[in-house]
Amino acid sequence: MGCYITFAGVLVWLGVSVCAAQPVGRILGGSEAKPHLRPYMASLHVDGKHLCGGFLIAEEWVLSAAHCAPEKNNATFQVLLGAHSLSEQEPSKQFYQVLKYFIHPEYNDTETHNDLLLLKLKENAALSQEVQILPFQTMDRDLPAGMLCSVAGWGQTSLTGKHPDKLQEVTVVVISRETCNQRDHYDNEITENMICAGARRKDSCEGDSGGPLVCDGIAEGVVSTGYRKCGNIKKPGIYTRISAYVPWINSTMQAASKEEGESTGSKETASQ
C-alpha cells in the first residue's frame, strides 16, 4: 500500500503504508451542503489558499489535523469561519489570524498517528447563526459499526482532482476496527485511536483533512488520511478518534489560556 503525491508537476509513488504527505485526508460522492447549516466548519488558509478543513470547538479554538500545520515558519496562517463559498463575498465570512498552534506531541507523520492540531485564534470568534461551536465527544468510546455519520469539506470531489468552491458533504458508515484491520483492508494499521468510515464511492478526499466526522450532532473524529484512491470500500477514510485525546485537548487549551492570562497580567502590572 502507498500513496501518490505531486512533486514539481510529476506524479510520484511513495511506498509507505498510509498516505501521509501534506495535504492528506480526503469529499467524494457527496453533494453541496445547504449553506451555513454546518456553522462550525473552518477553512485553514496558508498564504491565502485553502489547505485543510477544521472546526470551531470553543470561541478561540479550532481543531484540525496535525499534518495541516504550515510547512514554512513564515507562512501566513489564517482561519476562515462562516463560509459556504471560498471565493464569493458572503456577509457571514470571518477571517482570523492564528495566534499559535499546537501539534500533538506524539504525532507521527510517517504513519499519521496522533494526527491532531489545535489552533488558538488571535481573538474570539464572533458567534452568529453562521458561526457556531461544535461539541466533541468526551466519553472515551468506540463507535458501533454501521453507525451513519457525516463529513464535509472543500476537498477533492472527483478522482480527476477537481476541487469545489462550495462546501460539500457526504454520509459515511462506521466500519469496525476488526474489519478495517483485515489483510485486504489496512492489515492491522488501524490503532485504537482511529476510526474507519466510508461507503462505496463515498469518502472524504484530498483537502478535507482536519474536518469533523459528525455523528448525532457530535464531532467523533477528525479527517486524517486514507488510501490513494478515495472511495475504495476496502480502504475507507481514516479519522483520528477525538475522545481518546480529550485530556490533551483540555490541558493544552487551559495551559495556553493561563499563559496568556499571566502575560496580560504582567503587562498590566508593568504599565501601572
Side-chain angles (χ1 to χ4, degrees), residues 8-139:
V10 180
L11 200 61
V12 180
W13 169 259
L14 297 184
V16 295
S17 59
V18 174
C19 186
Q22 187 192 42
V24 193
R26 318 143 307 125
I27 292 288
L28 184 81
S31 59
E32 183 180 335
K34 290 186 178 180
H36 309 297
L37 287 189
R38 294 179 182 270
Y40 47 79
M41 287 297 299
S43 169
L44 274 56
H45 282 227
V46 174
D47 292 336
K49 294 182 179 180
H50 169 82
L51 176 69
C52 284
F55 55 106
L56 197 65
I57 61 169
E59 288 186 23
E60 58 182 341
W61 290 95
V62 169
L63 185 61
S64 185
H67 70 264
C68 293
E71 294 180 330
K72 298 185 300 180
N73 290 332
N74 61 346
T76 301
F77 199 14
Q78 294 177 301
V79 169
L80 172 61
L81 299 174
H84 178 63
S85 164
L86 293 178
S87 66
E88 295 176 6
Q89 291 186 349
E90 297 172 345
S92 57
K93 278 185 174 181
Q94 303 175 23
F95 269 107
Y96 291 91
Q97 298 292 332
V98 176
L99 180 64
K100 58 179 69 174
Y101 59 88
F102 304 85
I103 298 172
H104 191 279
E106 296 178 18
Y107 169 59
N108 181 323
D109 62 358
T110 302
E111 299 172 314
T112 57
H113 290 180
N114 312 302
D115 192 8
L116 285 184
L117 174 72
L118 272 169
L119 301 90
K120 191 175 194 300
L121 306 181
K122 199 168 184 179
E123 57 185 308
N124 286 7
L127 301 183
S128 65
Q129 186 174 340
E130 296 84 7
V131 177
Q132 293 288 327
I133 292 166
L134 177 65
F136 57 87
Q137 182 59 256
T138 57
M139 184 184 301

Side-chain angles (χ1 to χ4, degrees), residues 145-238:
M147 186 174 189
L148 295 179
C149 302
S150 65
V151 62
W154 291 273
Q156 189 172 306
T157 57
S158 72
L159 298 179
T160 61
K162 182 180 179 181
H163 285 253
D165 176 64
K166 296 177 180 177
L167 185 68
Q168 306 290 305
E169 62 184 2
V170 70
T171 298
V172 291
V173 181
V174 174
I175 299 168
S176 73
R177 192 170 294 113
E178 181 181 9
T179 297
C180 214
N181 270 326
Q182 290 177 359
R183 197 168 193 175
D184 61 346
H185 284 61
Y186 282 114
D187 197 13
N188 292 315
E189 293 176 354
I190 306 304
T191 72
E192 292 183 356
N193 295 338
M194 297 174 179
I195 299 169
C196 283
R200 191 174 299 280
R201 297 182 182 177
K202 293 180 183 293
D203 200 358
S204 50
C205 208
E206 183 182 330
D208 292 322
S209 289
L213 179 70
V214 181
C215 313
D216 290 337
I218 296 176
E220 295 277 359
V222 173
V223 180
S224 177
T225 186
Y227 194 54
R228 66 182 185 272
K229 185 178 179 181
C230 312
N232 185 330
I233 189 60
K234 290 190 174 182
K235 302 289 193 297
I238 300 172

Side-chain angles (χ1 to χ4, degrees), residues 265-272:
S266 299
K267 289 178 181 177
E268 288 177 348
T269 301
S271 64
Q272 289 176 346

